[in-house]
Amino acid sequence: MFIDPIQTLNSIADISRLNKADGSDKLVNSTNDITDAGSAQGAQIPFKTVYEEAIQDVINTDQQVNVDAQALATGKSDNLHQYSIDIAKAQLSINLLAELRNKALDSYNEIMRMSV
C-alpha cells in the first residue's frame, strides 16, 4: 500500500483540481495546463473568484428551490424528497457564503489592526 505525501493546497478549489486518476501529483489549472503540485503558485484562485462562485451558487440553489416549490404547488411533481434536498443545498450554500463573508471581514479587521 502506498501512502501519498502531504501536499500544499493554496485554496479550496485546488482540492477539486487535484488529478489523482493517473496517480500523479499534478494540478490542473483553469486553462487545463498541468503544473507540479509543489509549484501551485500559478494555480491560486483569487478570493474574489471564490466569493463570486459562492454568490452564484446561492442564486442557483434558490432558483432551483423556487422551481421545485412551484412544481409541487401546481401538481406537476410529486418529488417531495428532491425539494427537501434542494432546500438543504440552498441553506448550505447560504451558510458557506455567510462564513466566507465573516472570514473576509475578520481578515480585513486584522489588517486594519496591524501597525506599520
Side-chain angles (χ1 to χ4, degrees):
M1 181 168 92
F2 179 73
I3 299 174
D4 292 328
I6 296 174
Q7 299 173 6
T8 303
L9 294 175
N10 296 316
S11 69
I12 294 173
D14 288 345
I15 295 171
S16 64
R17 290 183 291 171
L18 192 59
N19 185 4
K20 290 290 186 179
D22 59 353
S24 66
D25 295 333
K26 302 285 185 183
L27 288 174
V28 180
N29 63 19
S30 61
T31 60
N32 292 331
D33 296 333
I34 298 177
T35 59
D36 289 336
S39 64
Q41 298 300 329
Q44 290 183 357
I45 295 178
F47 180 76
K48 177 184 174 186
T49 305
V50 173
Y51 200 72
E52 287 173 347
E53 288 174 0
I55 291 171
Q56 190 60 43
D57 191 39
V58 168
I59 292 169
N60 291 343
T61 56
D62 184 52
Q63 288 174 348
Q64 185 61 43
V65 167
N66 290 337
V67 167
D68 289 346
Q70 184 177 9
L72 282 171
T74 58
K76 293 180 182 176
S77 174
D78 59 353
N79 200 356
L80 185 59
H81 65 278
Q82 186 61 43
Y83 178 64
S84 300
I85 291 169
D86 288 339
I87 288 175
K89 286 180 182 178
Q91 185 62 43
L92 193 61
S93 65
I94 290 170
N95 290 343
L96 175 64
L97 182 62
E99 286 301 318
L100 284 172
R101 183 209 56 193
N102 292 343
K103 289 296 180 182
L105 287 175
D106 289 345
S107 300
Y108 174 78
N109 288 332
E110 189 67 28
I111 290 170
M112 289 295 114
R113 279 188 245 137
M114 287 183 185
S115 62
V116 179

